[in-house]
Amino acid sequence: MKLKSYFLFGLVTLFMAACSNDYEDWKQQAINEQGSAITFGNGSVAEVPYIDFATIPDTQDSVQVCKITAPTSSYEETENTYTITLGDKTFKLDEEGRMLYSDFKAYVEGTYGKNPNYIREIAAVVTAYTGDGKTAIKQTLATSGTFTVKAKTVAPFIDKSYYLVGNIDGWTCKRVESYKLVNNGGDVYDNPEFSVELEPVADVESGDGIYNIKIIPVSAFNDEGGIANWNIALSALKGVTEPAYEGNFSYDNSGDNIRFKAESGTKTYKITVNLMAGTYKVKPQSEPELYMTGSALGWGASTENWLKLIKVNSNRDDTGMINEVFWTIRYFVADEEFKFAPQAGWIDDFGGEQLTVTDYANAGYENNGNNSKIKNAGWYKIRVYRDQKILVIDKPEVYLIGDVVGSWDVDKAENMFTVPSTPDGEFVSPAFPNDGNIRMYAHIVGDWWRSEFNVYGSSIVIRTEGDQDAVKVKAGQKAYLKFPELTGRIE
């Protein structure tokens, strides 16, 4: 686009900073016809064509961001020095209009991200300084009008989603939704990890015990769900054939299969790929888990500083959705910050802007970068859809149901526990109107029994698979529960 000329002013402002023109070993990138000139005292500043990071070798130390025709000074002995202001940051320039490539790259990626699908247009101003050549005192000689520096980042192609194919389905090489790797949100070039949890495959586990897979971008499939373009499949690197739980992959199917060993007792294999780094990881998991830490929990200083969340009972669930839902009931102090991770440690942790959040309890939820924050102190029930990175904050409602209340209706107000007013308080049920088997739940998602629990001795035991052993109680008794310690009593 043709830029207008801008008026600039010169002289007057004393400048004490020791700007120097001390770049070494400058290298000139290839450029095309320069753009419109911007007045610069009796000199000028001209745009250059957009800077394509893909054309700049790693060994290049500088990049030309404009062309400078130097303004003249009234001093007989002088040497001009220059700076460029990009947005709100200022960098040194040489007399040719070049700056350090590392500075420019860091500014562009830090400001706009790494998505290579756009040409970024950056408002820029160049300032020239001069002096008498005898003292360190310099003056502003000229300041240019605003012009535009354009840049295009470089990054591998990242698709919307990916799918596993391989001996997990007999190499039918079809797009199967249960083998879909998904991203947890945001710009995929800033958050380039995709993952899926693969359930053990009987034919592989009972066969040679080696999983063989390739990972296919969704755009490589045709309308019938078959693979139309193998050239963008993710494979092992050339020459790599040994099974491994982590490694690098090829973006262009130039290597063999990605291989990893079956492990006895595994419930799921969590497979994660980082599309920017070109790496994969496979984590055998005995049971999907989710942990929470934060400002009130010691920020994960040790495994004891991670609170294990409760997994929703996924018994007889065919959707796969419920399998990733976790919950807890706990007291949050004012302005408490927190995050989640699939293990009691800082790996694949997430929170804040990485989450989609619904606050039904008026908790005063806020994002603080990648930390989550609750402003209003109190008891809350939270549920987390781990793989989809969804957080729901709700009132801490716990209910009786069944024989002791004479009803199987869910979420009845008269069957709800009272909520404590202190952090160490107990949830207390209504007095049981009947003798019978007590049943309790905190409604999280789906059927009430997916988040059912009972008290055995002094412990709250969560229902996982099947039913729980009956606990008989007498009319007039009450249940007293402490979350998140999972302790309780009936008396």
Side-chain angles (χ1 to χ4, degrees):
M1 133 179 120
K2 186 172 169 106
L3 294 174
K4 298 178 182 178
S5 295
Y6 293 82
F7 176 78
L8 64 112
F9 56 90
L11 302 177
V12 302
T13 306
L14 287 177
F15 186 72
M16 296 297 295
C19 295
S20 62
N21 194 26
D22 57 358
Y23 296 129
E24 297 177 358
D25 190 28
W26 286 102
K27 295 181 177 67
Q28 176 75 37
Q29 89 265 21
I31 61 170
N32 300 314
E33 180 183 356
Q34 71 183 39
S36 303
I38 309 299
T39 55
F40 191 42
N42 59 358
S44 65
V45 175
E47 289 182 338
V48 297
Y50 81 84
I51 300 161
D52 188 348
F53 289 6
T55 67
I56 300 177
D58 292 337
T59 55
Q60 183 166 312
D61 61 2
S62 68
V63 62
Q64 184 141 30
V65 292
C66 63
K67 297 282 281 184
I68 296 175
T69 300
T72 58
S73 168
S74 59
Y75 291 119
E76 293 182 3
E77 298 179 33
T78 187
E79 179 181 353
N80 292 348
T81 56
Y82 302 91
T83 64
I84 186 168
T85 299
L86 303 173
D88 60 354
K89 297 187 181 298
T90 299
F91 306 92
K92 290 193 295 184
L93 282 179
D94 77 348
E95 68 279 0
E96 299 290 335
R98 295 174 294 199
M99 65 178 285
L100 288 174
Y101 176 52
S102 59
D103 285 348
F104 185 68
K105 184 172 184 289
Y107 173 80
V108 173
E109 292 181 348
T111 304
Y112 299 100
K114 299 179 181 179
N115 194 323
N117 297 318
Y118 306 95
I119 296 177
R120 309 298 185 177
E121 297 190 356
I122 309 160
V125 173
V126 170
T127 303
Y129 304 97
T130 192
D132 59 8
K134 299 175 182 178
T135 69
I137 297 177
K138 297 180 183 294
Q139 292 180 322
T140 301
L141 175 61
T143 301
S144 77
T146 302
F147 62 100
T148 302
V149 177
K150 304 181 185 70
K152 186 174 185 290
T153 59
V154 60
F157 166 71
I158 301 181
D159 215 330
K160 295 178 181 178
S161 58
Y162 292 78
Y163 291 81
L164 303 178
V165 299
N167 64 351
I168 55 177
D169 64 350
W171 286 107
T172 56
C173 299
K174 294 289 186 179
R175 186 176 63 230
V176 178
E177 289 306 303
S178 60
Y179 297 154
K180 181 180 180 179
L181 290 86
V182 296
N183 179 263
N184 61 20
D187 189 322
V188 294
Y189 288 92
D190 295 324
N191 183 24
E193 288 193 346
F194 290 72
S195 62
V196 66
E197 291 193 15
L198 172 69
E199 294 185 357
V201 177
D203 289 346
V204 176
E205 301 274 330
S206 62
D208 64 2
I210 302 296
Y211 285 88
N212 282 261
I213 61 170
K214 291 193 176 181
I215 301 171
I216 313 298
V218 65
S219 61
F221 291 93
N222 58 30
D223 292 341
E224 289 73 42
I227 299 174
N229 182 9
W230 279 98
N231 293 329
I232 57 174
L234 309 184
S235 70
L237 299 180
K238 290 181 180 179
V240 176
T241 58
E242 290 299 312
Y245 286 128
E246 61 182 79
N248 295 87
F249 60 76
S250 163
Y251 291 90
D252 58 4
N253 198 28
S254 58
D256 211 321
N257 303 326
I258 295 172
R259 295 181 169 92
F260 62 92
K261 292 181 179 179
E263 184 171 302
S264 178
T266 296
K267 296 282 188 175
T268 61
Y269 297 92
K270 184 175 182 180
I271 301 172
T272 303
V273 293
N274 186 312
L275 272 297
M276 288 292 288
T279 59
Y280 73 88
K281 292 181 181 179
V282 180
K283 181 184 177 184
Q285 300 181 132
S286 57
E287 185 71 35
E289 295 179 340
L290 189 65
Y291 292 81
M292 172 183 174
T293 193
S295 57
L297 295 166
W299 277 121
S302 67
T303 54
E304 289 73 26
N305 298 110
W306 290 87
L307 172 67
K308 186 175 182 179
L309 273 61
I310 302 163
K311 183 177 175 294
V312 166
N313 181 2
S314 56
N315 185 38
R316 301 200 306 271
D317 172 55
D318 297 325
T319 68
M321 275 288 294
I322 290 177
N323 192 51
E324 58 148 329
V325 182
F326 296 80
W327 64 277
T328 191
I329 294 173
R330 67 183 299 273
Y331 186 90
F332 288 78
V333 300
D335 297 322
E336 181 173 338
E337 295 189 23
F338 54 96
K339 298 186 77 168
F340 305 99
Q343 66 289 304
W346 293 108
I347 301 174
D348 298 331
D349 50 280
F350 59 92
E353 295 172 352
Q354 297 165 305
L355 289 165
T356 301
V357 181
T358 303
D359 180 3
Y360 289 122
N362 296 317
Y365 177 86
E366 293 180 354
N367 291 330
N368 185 12
N370 286 337
N371 293 338
S372 295
K373 181 177 181 179
I374 283 180
K375 291 185 64 64
N376 303 327
W379 283 95
Y380 299 101
K381 177 175 63 182
I382 64 170
R383 72 177 184 264
V384 183
Y385 295 77
R386 189 188 62 173
D387 295 343
Q388 294 191 66
K389 304 297 184 290
I390 296 171
L391 167 64
V392 180
I393 305 170
D394 216 332
K395 296 177 181 178
E397 295 173 348
V398 178
Y399 296 91
L400 297 171
I401 197 169
D403 293 346
V404 294
V405 292
S407 170
W408 293 94
D409 294 336
V410 297
D411 300 356
K412 293 186 71 173
E414 60 266 34
N415 298 332
M416 189 167 65
F417 284 60
T418 60
V419 179
S421 57
T422 61
D424 59 350
E426 294 177 304
F427 286 72
V428 182
S429 75
F432 309 145
N434 306 313
D435 294 351
N437 296 330
I438 181 176
R439 306 193 79 155
M440 299 171 280
Y441 69 97
H443 209 163
I444 303 300
V445 61
D447 298 310
W448 64 269
W449 50 263
R450 295 196 182 279
S451 47
E452 184 185 6
F453 53 85
N454 219 321
V455 174
Y456 299 89
S458 61
S459 298
I460 295 174
V461 177
I462 307 298
R463 179 179 177 181
T464 53
E465 296 181 359
D467 209 341
Q468 289 184 302
D469 292 337
V471 176
K472 294 186 179 298
V473 296
K474 296 289 186 180
Q477 289 184 307
K478 295 182 180 181
Y480 300 82
L481 310 175
K482 294 197 77 171
F483 293 100
E485 295 92 339
L486 296 183
T487 60
R489 55 195 172 93
I490 297 171
E491 56 186 41

